[in-house]
Amino acid sequence: MRAGSTGVVFDESALLALGSGNSLASQFVANTEHGPTRHVYVPALCLAAADGIRKGLAEHIGALPAVEIVELDFAGASTVGALLRDGVEWRLGHAVHLSRPTLDWPDGRHVVTADPGRYADMPLVRTIRLPQQR
């Protein structure tokens, strides 16, 4: 991460919204294409959950050059496992893991979501709510 960089993590609900043409979700992706300091991260488990709901969404998201799909590595698997034991849904666990502060992202990354209440009791997770569109 470069100084001054901003990064967001799209959860399953944000991916579904993006696939449905949500303007704010689309704006995040478009802004990423215009600057090397803006990043949109898609946790692989969130992408799998969204594709399970809307067939073909994974191919659509995977074709977007501005989006970085993040695999579940050992640290992520360990964190998601601990979250599962605490009762967190697996589809949220990977987003939670990527949102928390790290050496590269000392302030963490916001989770873009249509349902911020799902993260209300999770420490160190900040969210950006996607408005519902009609």
Side-chain angles (χ1 to χ4, degrees):
M1 177 195 81
R2 296 181 186 167
S5 289
T6 58
V8 295
V9 176
F10 273 39
D11 76 358
E12 158 224 1
S13 68
L15 294 169
L16 290 167
L18 179 63
S20 296
N22 181 284
S23 60
L24 182 56
S26 297
Q27 185 178 350
F28 276 111
V29 174
N31 287 344
T32 300
E33 292 175 350
H34 299 297
T37 61
R38 298 178 184 268
H39 308 274
V40 172
Y41 297 97
V42 173
L45 290 181
C46 295
L47 183 59
D51 191 66
I53 294 168
R54 183 172 297 137
K55 182 180 178 183
L57 188 61
E59 288 81 11
H60 171 72
I61 300 299
L64 298 171
V67 171
E68 182 178 337
I69 298 170
V70 181
E71 297 176 2
L72 189 64
D73 60 7
F74 174 76
S78 178
T79 299
V80 171
L83 290 167
L84 288 171
R85 286 190 299 277
D86 290 341
V88 174
E89 291 181 53
W90 67 269
R91 61 186 67 230
L92 303 179
H94 199 180
V96 170
H97 169 65
L98 291 179
S99 74
R100 290 182 171 164
T102 65
L103 288 175
D104 289 336
W105 294 97
D107 295 327
R109 294 170 272 194
H110 284 83
V111 175
V112 177
T113 182
D115 188 3
R118 295 163 72 180
Y119 300 93
D121 296 330
M122 296 184 206
L124 304 175
V125 178
R126 297 174 298 151
T127 60
I128 297 172
R129 183 180 146 312
L130 288 176
Q132 290 192 351
Q133 289 187 225
R134 298 167 199 221

